[in-house]
Amino acid sequence: ISCKLLKKVSIDPPFLAHDYKGMLYVPNWDMGGDTLVKKNFLRLTPDKPDQFGFVWSRQLLDSKDFSITWKIRISGDSKERYGNFLALSLTLDRKKSTGPIFGHREDFTGVMVIVDTNPMDRLNGRHFDVGVLTNNGKFDPHI
């Protein structure tokens, strides 16, 4: 088995590109909310309550066979826990949207890997650390 890195849908530091305002950015990716790009990492949200950040690829994943390596670090300096979840979404949605299903609208089509960072959260009466959610575009999510 061999594989190659799909650069157009990869995020790999160092991040050296600057926009017209002089801010660092990652080519081929849209970012928003409270997301911050540093030279060697992305910070989706600061360590504060009620924060939201996202990174959305501008490019399609046009390979039917692929694997994903996802390296994350969840940390903070506060004694309070503010983060609730982190989700990796593979959807048919071409445009960015926001909604109640881990940042997506109810009618998304695809699969999500969800890392729950808050042990107080419960779904159907039980807590999970990592879950997979699938939906067929008809708000029929399966976890």
Side-chain angles (χ1 to χ4, degrees), residues 6-120:
L6 300 172
K7 286 199 173 278
K8 70 179 186 175
V9 290
S10 297
I11 297 177
D12 196 25
F15 307 118
L16 303 174
H18 290 80
D19 66 13
Y20 69 96
K21 295 179 183 176
M23 303 294 291
L24 290 170
Y25 76 98
V26 182
N28 297 321
W29 293 83
D30 289 326
M31 292 162 209
D34 299 298
T35 302
L36 179 65
V37 180
K38 294 291 193 176
K39 181 180 177 184
N40 293 309
F41 64 92
L42 295 175
R43 176 168 286 136
L44 289 177
T45 62
D47 193 13
K48 296 178 183 176
D50 303 317
Q51 304 296 298
F52 172 79
F54 66 85
V55 179
W56 191 281
S57 176
R58 294 181 195 152
Q59 305 295 318
L60 290 176
L61 177 61
D62 56 4
S63 176
K64 67 180 195 173
D65 298 316
F66 62 91
S67 66
I68 295 174
T69 301
W70 194 23
K71 182 179 176 183
I72 59 173
R73 184 178 128 201
I74 300 172
S75 65
D77 294 329
S78 176
K79 292 181 181 171
E80 300 292 325
R81 285 186 155 186
Y82 295 119
N84 288 328
F85 68 89
L86 179 67
L88 171 68
S89 305
L90 300 171
T91 70
L92 295 180
D93 300 332
R94 291 277 331 232
K95 58 184 176 180
K96 299 178 293 293
S97 62
T98 59
I101 309 297
F102 298 101
H104 285 272
R105 296 181 348 204
E106 293 93 341
D107 62 350
F108 81 91
T109 299
V111 62
M112 296 180 189
V113 177
I114 304 142
V115 178
D116 187 348
T117 61
N118 187 345
M120 300 305 291

